[in-house]
Amino acid sequence: MLSIEADKNIIALNTLGFNAIAEQFTRIASEDDLLKALQYAQLHQLDYQVLSGGSNVLVDEHIPGLTLHMQVMGRAVLKECDQQVLIRIGAGENWHELVQWSVVNNWQGIETMALIPGLVGASPVQNIGAYGTELKDVLVQVRAWDCLAKEFVELDNSECQFAYRDSVFKRSKGRFIITSVDLKLHKRLAIEFKYQALKDYMHKQSLANITLKDVFQAVCEIRSDKLPDPVKVANAGSFFKNPIISHSQFQQLQGDFPKIVGHPSACSGVKVAAGWLIDHCGWKGYLASGVGVYPKQALVLIHTGESSIGQLMQLADDIKQSVFDKFKVQLEIEPQRFPSVN
Ligand SMILES: Cc1cc2nc3c(=O)[nH]c(=O)nc-3n(C[C@H](O)[C@H](O)[C@H](O)COP(=O)(O)OP(=O)(O)OC[C@H]3O[C@@H](n4cnc5c(N)ncnc54)[C@H](O)[C@@H]3O)c2cc1C
């Protein structure tokens, strides 16, 4: 039976810790629950939106319609051989716990994405990534309810149209509701580091044989030192995407700011460290009216309580404007408005 809660405060279900009242709220523990919830929404002519761990959303104070909280659980090995394993993970599983499970089993591919908050079903939405690895590197297929075609569909890796912090799920807002994700992980690959900071960190440990567990622990230590734990300091991780600019604009900026941080981007151009830009506009450690910029990482905006989403968005606008005024670079906000705005 579908259980609907009215006027539910989802303050505990968004890591920025804003008060937000969901007009109607239900937990989705299976595909059958999802179908029932969608029928209910249709019958009562309600809009609906999907919430997972709430670590990448900017919640409005009032959320009309039906909020679907994804809790579809399950981990299964679908296929296994000497080299690889194919696993199917329910959308409601915790991402970090999945990474732990893969490391315990010595399956390689997602260990550098340890400690990313949130649930598995949201991981394809922005093609999560960290330390040189993105979800697209290991994802085989996604199973989702297609709200347009009104049927369950399987989308393979190319159909997901992954890009930097982007996918078909993000672009076609609300069309797909993901219920499970299939990943291919490796059993016998040599450990390589695509990200220099992690490579340097591992080098300093002077380990004879680096294991997946060592990489996992290193990532957890580096992240814990650099990023605030949302349980202690409300935040949504990186608030802005790293902007991709042309080589010529980057060279011009290098002339004025020789220490500017940028890396060649996979899709041509240069990916500039947004945190560096914000830091060099003097925002790091800023705090006023309960919203501010994390003192150890300028890319992370924080909420210390008793503030509103409006005040946070005003701060984001002020930061964007000052970065544009100084560097002529446009920042784009990474977390999604909830409910989404078209
Ligand atoms: C401290 C911190 C560190 C972070 N570090 C990283 C990082 O290193 N790399 C990175 O990529 N991200 C990072 N993030 C962002 C965030 O953790 C990821 O984007 C994560 O995948 C969001 O998962 P969630 O379950 O919280 O999704 P939510 O915030 O609940 O949802 C995000 C969006 O996805 C949609 N959605 C959620 N579930 C589904 C579903 N089943 N089907 C369809 N749509 C769905 C929602 O409607 C919403 O638009 C960080 C966040 C925090 C707070």
Side-chain angles (χ1 to χ4, degrees):
M1 246 253 311
L2 200 62
S3 159
I4 308 272
E5 291 173 66
D7 295 330
K8 184 177 172 66
N9 191 334
I10 59 160
I11 187 171
L13 292 176
N14 74 99
T15 60
L16 272 164
F18 285 113
N19 273 302
I21 304 297
E23 192 181 7
Q24 300 202 42
F25 177 95
T26 188
R27 288 183 179 77
I28 304 295
S30 64
E31 291 187 347
D32 200 39
D33 279 358
L34 178 59
L35 295 180
K36 284 189 183 127
L38 294 173
Q39 274 165 10
Y40 174 89
Q42 191 181 21
L43 188 67
H44 297 273
Q45 298 182 327
L46 298 170
D47 284 338
Y48 53 85
Q49 50 274 321
V50 177
L51 182 69
S52 285
S55 65
N56 210 25
V57 285
L58 302 166
V59 289
D60 282 351
E61 283 169 20
H62 173 68
I63 303 166
L66 180 62
T67 296
L68 310 170
H69 187 215
M70 298 307 284
Q71 300 280 275
V72 181
M73 309 306 277
R75 298 174 189 167
V77 172
L78 298 183
K79 256 194 222 168
E80 194 168 3
C81 66
D82 281 355
Q83 275 85 30
Q84 290 166 340
V85 58
L86 180 65
I87 55 176
R88 174 161 298 167
I89 314 296
E93 292 282 339
N94 177 282
W95 174 265
H96 176 70
E97 285 169 14
L98 165 65
V99 176
Q100 277 175 317
W101 185 58
S102 73
V103 170
V104 165
N105 284 292
N106 222 9
W107 298 332
Q108 188 177 357
I110 53 176
E111 60 286 349
T112 64
M113 293 195 275
L115 277 191
I116 297 183
L119 308 185
V120 168
S123 63
V125 175
Q126 75 149 356
N127 179 27
I128 59 167
Y131 300 103
T133 309
E134 290 182 326
L135 186 77
K136 71 169 175 51
D137 303 330
V138 292
L139 184 134
V140 175
Q141 76 168 26
V142 163
R143 181 170 161 86
W145 175 258
D146 182 340
C147 299
L148 262 190
K150 301 215 181 316
E151 61 182 359
F152 279 103
V153 290
E154 270 91 33
L155 283 85
D156 68 20
N157 189 302
S158 67
E159 289 168 317
C160 295
Q161 299 172 25
F162 289 123
Y164 167 61
R165 300 292 183 270
D166 201 15
S167 70
V168 69
F169 310 107
K170 207 178 206 181
R171 284 193 292 276
S172 56
K173 284 188 196 324
R175 173 169 174 186
F176 298 103
I177 302 177
I178 297 167
T179 54
S180 70
V181 169
D182 293 0
L183 306 180
K184 191 195 278 177
L185 303 177
H186 300 276
K187 291 182 169 182
R188 291 184 172 191
L189 280 189
I191 295 178
E192 284 173 16
F193 298 104
K194 297 182 197 156
Y195 197 84
Q196 193 60 38
L198 183 57
K199 195 174 179 174
D200 295 345
Y201 186 92
M202 294 308 301
H203 190 68
K204 275 192 212 142
Q205 308 292 306
S206 314
L207 299 167
N209 289 312
I210 296 173
T211 64
L212 288 187
K213 200 170 160 216
D214 296 328
V215 178
F216 172 84
Q217 269 166 356
V219 169
C220 291
E221 278 166 31
I222 298 170
R223 288 182 68 104
S224 306
D225 185 48
K226 211 170 69 168
L227 293 169
D229 176 351
V231 175
K232 295 179 188 147
V233 182
N235 77 93
S238 304
F239 202 86
F240 301 98
K241 291 185 188 181
N242 289 319
I244 297 169
I245 62 174
S246 67
H247 286 279
S248 61
Q249 189 184 2
F250 187 69
Q251 276 164 5
Q252 226 173 354
L253 281 170
Q254 264 182 324
D256 295 332
F257 308 96
K259 290 195 174 156
I260 188 169
V261 179
H263 303 284
S265 151
C267 50
S268 85
V270 180
K271 195 192 276 179
V272 182
W276 190 94
L277 301 175
I278 298 165
D279 191 9
H280 284 76
C281 288
W283 286 104
K284 205 189 249 181
Y286 172 90
L287 186 65
S289 312
V291 291
V293 179
Y294 190 57
K296 286 189 185 175
Q297 169 55 272
L299 201 48
V300 177
L301 301 197
I302 58 172
H303 171 215
T304 59
E306 292 171 17
S307 195
S308 69
I309 187 75
Q311 280 162 306
L312 185 77
M313 296 312 283
Q314 183 58 57
L315 172 62
D317 281 349
D318 293 346
I319 291 173
K320 280 171 75 172
Q321 188 62 51
S322 69
V323 165
F324 186 77
D325 290 345
K326 187 160 185 171
F327 301 107
K328 297 286 171 287
V329 172
Q330 199 75 56
L331 290 183
E332 197 187 323
I333 291 176
E334 188 187 291
Q336 304 286 291
R337 295 301 300 262
F338 191 87
S340 68
V341 278
N342 289 310

